[in-house]
Amino acid sequence: MSVETEAETDLTEDVDELAAELGEAITDLPVYREYLEAKETVESDEDLQKEIQAFERLREEFMMARQAGDATNDDLRELQQTQQELHEKPKMEAFLQAQSELELRLQELNELVSEPLAVDFGQTAGGCCED
């Protein structure tokens, strides 16, 4: 059984507070707000949601056919074409761009946090099951 000293407890609380502040600061970034706006735009577009659902069904069917050994190159081309058409929709394209920009910014922040740790903070904090 370990006994945590008051100094260790204070340091832990300080680090927790800094982490919470970092999270809050990230939510104030323009890139994060742009991502949320683009996401809301996609989620509130009923027609686009139907197209996303249709694509997801097609992808699921393809995955099942591939697992069964029944998927063809034509099936793959159809799936890729459907995905490309979906991604070219202006609202979806804006969302994907905003998502990509947010991911890049989060990666930059991860590198800043990771540098003094000598580990990849985001990957280490992300879980135990790495490929």
Side-chain angles (χ1 to χ4, degrees), residues 13-56:
E13 290 173 0
D14 290 347
V15 170
D16 290 348
E17 185 176 324
L18 285 170
E21 288 175 15
L22 175 60
E24 289 175 21
I26 290 170
T27 66
D28 290 335
L29 290 173
V31 69
Y32 182 76
R33 288 193 308 269
E34 290 166 9
Y35 163 77
L36 288 180
E37 289 171 13
K39 183 176 184 248
E40 175 60 30
T41 298
V42 166
E43 289 175 347
S44 65
D45 185 317
E46 291 181 27
D47 292 334
L48 189 54
Q49 286 300 306
K50 288 177 184 174
E51 290 183 52
I52 292 169
Q53 290 170 359
F55 169 74
E56 291 297 333

Side-chain angles (χ1 to χ4, degrees), residues 56-72:
E56 291 297 333
R57 279 191 301 275
L58 183 63
R59 184 171 63 169
E60 182 65 29
E61 290 170 7
F62 175 78
M63 296 300 285
M64 290 173 60
R66 188 171 77 172
Q67 286 180 336
D70 297 332
T72 66

Side-chain angles (χ1 to χ4, degrees), residues 123-131:
Q123 185 175 12
T124 302
C128 65
C129 304
E130 300 296 324
D131 289 337

